[in-house]
Amino acid sequence: MARHLKPAGGFELFAWFFMRISGLVLVFLALGHLFITHILNNVENINYEFVADRWAAPRTGFIWRLWDLAMINLAVLHGGNGLRQILDEYVIRRSRRVLTHTLIWSGAAILMVLGTYAIVMFEKDQAYINQKHALEKGQVVSAGRGQEPSQALQPLAATRP
Amino acid sequence: MADTMAADAGTRRLTVRIKRYDPEQGGEPRWQEFQVDAHPMDRVLDVLLSIKWNQDEALGLRRSCAHGVCGSDAMRINGKNGLACKLLVNTLQGDVLTVEPILGLPVIKDLIVDMKPFFDHYKSVMPYLVNDDPPPTTERLQSPEERARFDETTKCILCACCTTACPPFWGNEKYVGPAAIVNAHRFIFDSRDQAAAERLEILNDGEGVWRCRTVFNCTSACPRDIHVTKAIQEVKHAMLTGSTSLND
């Protein structure tokens, strides 16, 4: 006969359950991401315009933003908690554990805040995309003439350190 | 046996490397090599006893029943935990046999470790039946299905092979360890017991079941073939759902 008890609760139980769920969700998010960026598309096609179009699309944009938001936050939390578990096996003294936990969670917080800010506050810069298209056209035309590298590309190259 | 059958066909000369530690000399443990002619039917324990009786009587090791029931002679054999009395030497690869004390517990002498921390963890999970109901005139009955629910974890002989194969335990001696959780499982899922909630609370501690990260070393080390990792996961499941049934 199964007996019914009060569920145990507490941080460690929550952390364990979170790892199960986030791990499972990340398998779909991360493999889906790899499939889209490396099989449906490839590194030649993936650029600012690709990401900007996806995030700024009228109806589906928020889905892609939600995908990327979930992926970065779950990955950082999942990785951070896994690191805590493993380091706890080597760092036994309480004061040192406080230090390692502080470092892990501060690092995780910075990454999540930066990632979330970038994804949520993103605005598509159409002018930049247009300029890039114009530059690429210039390059093709000049290459066709068999001349030296395009003059139009020079301002961009000049900005590099 | 190892020495008397030396002339038989099939004997093979083993180089036995043993990690020695002498508390009277102190210092670091050192490796010592012995040559033994082993019969194919010899167990690792026979080889060790042959060394103790014929080559170095100071070799320290524990063994009691020598038949895989008492759990005294757990040791790290060729890098894997096991009972010296259950392992035939002809199942080992190569002619070098390496024997060390089990890891994670203080070494007293040679292959003998201090089991007190291990048994302290065992005692901490209340490994006994708790039932405050007045005792019936006959046995406390349960169905075959109810008995089968915890049958596997009744097989534990407390040899410490699982706990001392566990990497989280190597690093953190406060971790209660797989053997203690197996013995908690044996009572948590027993329909006659009434202290499941208390045991789950003990194991919900930071150094309880949550230190397990499913390395599976315990399951492969268990000489009684208990699915230790599975038992630990069942305890976690009971904590999550608040039920001892696996169907909830």
Side-chain angles (χ1 to χ4, degrees), chain A residues 141-160:
Chain A
V141 170
S142 61
R145 282 184 202 143
Q147 289 176 344
E148 290 295 297
S150 166
Q151 299 284 313
L153 270 178
Q154 277 181 2
L156 199 81
T159 58
R160 286 186 193 146

Side-chain angles (χ1 to χ4, degrees), chain B residues 64-134:
Chain B
S64 295
C65 79
H67 289 82
V69 180
C70 74
S72 303
D73 61 353
M75 45 192 80
R76 194 165 148 92
I77 301 158
N78 283 358
K80 288 178 96 175
N81 280 6
L83 299 181
C85 59
K86 281 194 80 170
L87 215 58
L88 285 173
V89 288
N90 68 354
T91 62
L92 302 171
Q93 287 189 333
D95 287 334
V96 179
L97 171 62
T98 308
V99 186
E100 303 162 68
I102 43 180
L103 300 178
L105 293 169
V107 177
I108 296 174
K109 183 178 190 298
D110 297 339
L111 302 173
I112 302 172
V113 297
D114 181 5
M115 296 284 278
K116 186 173 187 303
F118 173 79
F119 284 116
D120 283 346
H121 285 312
Y122 167 66
K123 287 176 196 160
S124 75
V125 300
M126 307 165 64
Y128 40 81
L129 188 87
V130 178
N131 190 326
D132 294 331
D133 294 342

Side-chain angles (χ1 to χ4, degrees), chain A residues 18 23-24 44 51 76 86 100 103 106 132 136 139 148 161:
Chain A
F18 169 78
L24 213 58
E44 319 276 303
V51 179
V76 169
I86 290 166
T100 53
L103 285 174
S106 320
K132 194 119 192 309
E136 277 163 8
Q139 188 183 25
E148 290 295 297

Side-chain angles (χ1 to χ4, degrees), chain A residues 86-103:
Chain A
I86 290 166
L87 284 178
D88 275 3
E89 283 166 27
Y90 300 94
V91 184
I92 306 297
R93 265 173 46 189
R94 197 167 166 74
S95 56
R96 289 190 186 168
R97 272 193 183 174
V98 170
L99 183 72
T100 53
H101 292 189
T102 309
L103 285 174

